[in-house]
């Protein structure tokens, strides 16, 4: 039963991300590079956060329960801010390297756009974040799997919206992304009370999905055309 729960939770947590990788990234070497680099930048943010956390714990009184709780809150806030700083750094790096990325891309395909880079980089952040949050607790319960799924998707959506805010100098967008990241991470402090943390997290996830869709150039007309094409294909078959 434990093995079944393990694989079931693993598929819930990483199934959508794996599907996105297979169908939208795996066939394009350039996108794979951007994804891996995005995951590496998230790892760098984790390394720095862990270093600061280690120093803070060693410098504090480990027997003080209130201090431990305060350190936990500090760790969450600091980790979120560091992740967003590294997201911005990665955006700047990609923008600097745009000409080089276009040069090594397939000449038969259109150059990779900022929206595509944002999506791939965000998915890289999300996959690595999910891997570290779930690696030791996949057999625990459904709650952690659902939370990991939400965080993986949120990092993807945040990446799209964040890059769009940077590209158009809409700094309020970046502030909103950071605040929502802080909100979701703070809600995770309620765990294992997933009844209290999961509903608002998935509300944020749904809202960010809509925002990311429109930020990447989507429109209601696109959805209408897609539905019409599917109905036509179904009728013809």
């Amino acid at each position: 039963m434990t093995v079944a729960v393990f694989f079931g939770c693993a598929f819930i947590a990483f199934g959508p991300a794996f599907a996105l990788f297979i169908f939208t990234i795996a066939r394009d070497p350039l996108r794979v590079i951007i994804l891996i680099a995005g995951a590496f930048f998230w790892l760098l943010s984790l390394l720095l956060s862990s270093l600061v956390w280690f120093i803070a714990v060693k410098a504090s009184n480990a027997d003080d329960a209130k201090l431990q709780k305060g350190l936990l809150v500090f760790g969450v806030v600091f980790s979120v801010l560091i992740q967003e700083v590294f997201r911005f750094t990665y955006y700047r790096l990609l923008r600097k390297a745009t000409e080089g990325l276009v040069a090594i891309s397939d000449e038969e395909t259109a150059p990779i756009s900022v929206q595509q880079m944002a999506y791939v980089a965000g998915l890289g952040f999300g996959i690595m974040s999910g891997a570290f949050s779930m690696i030791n607790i996949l057999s625990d319960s459904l709650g952690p799997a659902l939370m990991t799924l939400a965080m993986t998707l949120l990092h993807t959506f945040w990446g799209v919206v964040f890059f769009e805010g940077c590209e158009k100098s809409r700094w309020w967008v970046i502030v909103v992304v950071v605040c929502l990241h802080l909100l979701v991470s703070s809600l995770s402090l309620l765990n294992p009370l997933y009844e209290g943390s999961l509903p608002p997290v998935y509300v944020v996830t749904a809202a960010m999905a809509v925002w990311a869709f429109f930020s990447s150039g989507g429109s209601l007309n696109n959805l209408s055309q897609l539905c019409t094409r599917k109905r036509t294909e179904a009728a013809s078959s």
Side-chain angles (χ1 to χ4, degrees), residues 28 31 34 110-122 160 216:
D28 189 333
R31 294 187 182 186
I34 295 174
I112 188 168
S113 66
V114 175
Q115 291 83 0
Q116 291 172 335
M117 288 192 296
Y119 158 70
V120 177
V160 173
S216 60

Side-chain angles (χ1 to χ4, degrees), residues 65-145:
K66 291 184 178 180
L67 183 57
Q68 287 181 348
K69 185 175 181 180
L71 284 174
L72 180 60
V73 174
F74 165 77
V76 169
V77 173
F78 184 82
S79 176
V80 168
L81 295 178
I82 288 297
Q83 287 178 50
E84 296 304 330
V85 167
F86 272 83
R87 196 195 303 274
F88 179 76
T89 303
Y90 190 39
Y91 161 78
R92 295 297 300 173
L93 179 64
L94 287 176
R95 291 300 290 148
K96 292 286 186 181
T98 297
E99 294 182 1
L101 291 174
V102 171
I104 66 174
S105 62
D106 190 350
E107 295 180 356
E108 298 180 356
T109 61
I112 188 168
S113 66
V114 175
Q115 291 83 0
Q116 291 172 335
M117 288 192 296
Y119 158 70
V120 177
L123 186 59
F125 265 63
I127 290 175
M128 191 56 62
S129 172
F132 269 81
S133 65
M134 281 291 294
I135 194 67
N136 294 321
I137 54 176
L138 274 173
S139 61
D140 181 24
S141 66
L142 184 61

Side-chain angles (χ1 to χ4, degrees), residues 14-26:
F14 298 108
F18 181 72
L20 290 174
F21 173 78
I22 292 297
F23 291 111
T24 66
I25 296 175

Side-chain angles (χ1 to χ4, degrees), residues 24 30 42 125 149 156 158 183 189 212 215 236:
T24 66
L30 182 57
W42 188 90
F125 265 63
L149 170 60
T156 305
W158 283 332
L183 173 63
L189 295 175
S215 293
S236 61

